[in-house]
DNA sequence: TATACGTTCAAGTTATCGCTTGAATGATGT
DNA sequence: ACATCATTCAAGCGATAACTTGAACGTATA
């Protein structure tokens, strides 16, 4: 039979340990933020609404599971994903959840279909049409995140500034908005507002982390 | 900002719930067995060494997470994976664990490198060479699992019978063995024994569940 | 109908997890 | 050296998960 049951068991235990690290709402949220780039504990605590001590503990748990790396920069400790493959792991987890959990489907239907009728545009299509000059790509995340890395050629228009900067956009071109990922609602909101103003707008599938994970070029600064 | 924080939180919670379902050694092992095909609670309890009540509870937990389906057949309740994509989820989880956890690498090194020097053969290569008649494919799992589904053209030689059935194998052909998956050691053991007898033997990458998940043909019965 | 068997349920114990609070550590700037 | 700030550690509480035991449920066989 499978000769040594010990190492098999140990492997199962390791897999379970990694899975358990993903097995908490707050840690999933932390990873979602960290998929954007490295962040300090304080920034993550603020973004998630967790106490510093609590955020720190969850981050250390993720680090112990091998999902995060930490480095010190001055008085801050910056965490980041240990590996770009972790985005893929989150993505597959999300797909599984979407397929299997009725409530997820319902949530998505409620918050996407009703607000954003059109299918999102795929990354490959987007690259093609952007090169042909057919689309204007806008990045609706906060400028801080834009600076850390964005789609080449994209214009930074944080959602708060969108209404004030409509005149910058070409009404003849199709506008494609993107933000942090499949479940970030920034881009959905942007599309809804743009359509209300008569623009032809769609959102890009997923968001920055998946773009990066797909090996597509990223511009920083 | 991201308009409603509620649905986002709910989504994180759902992802975490799925991950938490994978977050126990025994449930990972159960899924690994179920990747081979549907099994009764009794069979799974026997395979894993768990008590029936305990196995039942873990299975129900996996079912609640949407990872398993159950159906009744006579006095047995048969569980199976709710979705072939779950094999992919397990696979990505394994890859992440391998990349990130030193101990997993060490375990693999200890139990594979020392026993099975050659790289495993990829599925695409295997299909090609099998069609050209260059290799003999053997399935070293118990016959019960072979019957539930195997690689077309493969010969069922459970590991226990291998030594007694060496004369069936062509010493001139290359022999490729496969079993349940990347961490099943049946095929590794078979390769070691065959090489000791002078055969040219390798193992196939991964195993039956991944073959099935890759969309390659499967023969049953 | 009665019995056997596989499975699930319910209750109870032990261990672990998540969170808060308050103190300790480590780097920075005056 | 001192104060400041970001982070981590340590202790304690409440909640949840894992496992065992014994009983209940459903289905097939005598």
């Amino acid at each position: 039979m499978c000769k040594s049951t010990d190492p098999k068991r140990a492997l199962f235990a390791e897999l379970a340990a990694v899975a358990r690290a993903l097995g908490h709402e707050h840690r999933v949220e932390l990873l979602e933020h960290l998929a954007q780039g490295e962040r300090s504990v304080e920034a993550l605590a603020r973004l998630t609404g967790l106490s510093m001590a609590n955020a720190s503990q969850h981050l250390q748990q993720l680090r112990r599971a091998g999902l995060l790396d930490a480095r010190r920069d001055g008085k801050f400790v910056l965490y980041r994903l240990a590996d770009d493959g972790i985005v893929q792991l989150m993505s597959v987890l999300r797909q599984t959840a979407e397929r299997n959990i009725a409530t997820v489907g319902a949530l998505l239907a409620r918050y996407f279909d009703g607000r954003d009728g059109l299918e999102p545009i795929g990354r490959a299509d987007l690259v093609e049409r952007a090169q042909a000059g057919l689309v204007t790509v806008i990045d609706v995340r906060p400028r801080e995140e834009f600076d850390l890395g964005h789609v080449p050629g994209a214009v930074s228009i944080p959602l708060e500034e969108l209404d004030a900067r409509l005149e910058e956009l070409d009404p003849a071109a199709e506008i494609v908005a993107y933000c942090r990922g499949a479940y970030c609602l920034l881009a959905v909101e942007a599309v809804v507002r743009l359509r209300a103003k008569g623009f032809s707008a769609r959102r890009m599938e997923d968001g920055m982390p998946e773009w990066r994970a797909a090996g597509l070029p990223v511009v920083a600064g």
Side-chain angles (χ1 to χ4, degrees), chain A:
Chain A
M1 278 286 135
C2 272
K3 226 186 163 182
S4 33
T5 174
D6 278 347
K8 242 174 74 174
R9 284 278 150 74
L11 274 160
F12 293 148
E14 293 295 348
L15 296 193
V18 173
R20 197 161 38 239
L22 297 173
H24 194 282
E25 184 180 348
H26 293 164
R27 291 194 288 271
V28 173
E29 188 171 6
L30 287 168
L31 286 173
E32 201 83 0
H33 285 294
L34 287 165
Q36 314 294 329
E38 63 180 2
R39 295 284 144 85
S40 68
V41 179
E42 180 271 338
L44 289 166
R46 188 167 31 79
L47 288 166
T48 57
L50 298 176
S51 72
M52 294 259 308
N54 199 7
S56 176
Q57 283 189 21
H58 282 297
L59 289 167
Q60 285 174 61
Q61 222 162 321
L62 288 166
R63 195 164 64 88
R64 255 177 268 130
L67 299 176
L68 297 183
D69 281 338
R71 73 185 180 89
R72 180 134 212 159
D73 179 41
K75 43 199 320 192
F76 294 89
V77 173
L78 299 179
Y79 283 88
R80 66 175 149 186
L81 297 189
D83 191 314
D84 282 346
I86 292 164
V87 173
Q88 192 199 354
L89 177 57
M90 299 282 291
S91 177
V92 173
L93 183 63
R94 193 194 302 145
Q95 286 168 32
T96 302
E98 283 180 28
R99 271 196 308 266
N100 293 336
I101 311 266
T103 59
V104 173
L107 282 167
L108 286 180
R110 194 145 56 89
Y111 284 91
F112 280 71
D113 291 2
R115 305 166 56 89
D116 182 15
L118 280 186
E119 283 296 303
I121 182 171
R123 283 183 288 271
D125 282 350
L126 179 58
V127 169
E128 212 169 275
R129 295 201 217 172
Q131 282 174 345
L134 298 174
V135 297
T136 303
V137 182
I138 66 174
D139 183 321
V140 295
R141 298 174 299 165
R143 194 175 316 276
E144 166 195 53
E145 298 181 17
F146 177 86
D147 289 338
L148 282 169
H150 56 267
V151 171
V155 182
S156 172
I157 306 186
L159 191 57
E160 307 88 64
E161 306 178 12
L162 182 61
D163 292 319
R165 293 173 60 188
L166 288 175
E167 70 276 8
E168 295 178 29
L169 298 170
D170 178 3
E174 182 174 24
I175 298 168
V176 173
Y178 73 89
C179 56
R180 293 164 176 150
Y183 295 140
C184 175
L185 301 177
L186 291 174
V188 175
E189 185 66 22
V191 167
V192 169
R193 290 200 208 165
L194 286 169
R195 291 215 193 129
K197 304 286 184 182
F199 288 92
S200 165
R202 298 169 68 184
R203 64 189 172 87
M204 185 180 80
E205 68 170 337
D206 300 323
M208 194 60 223
E210 290 82 3
W211 176 281
R212 192 191 301 267
L216 292 164
V218 173
V219 179

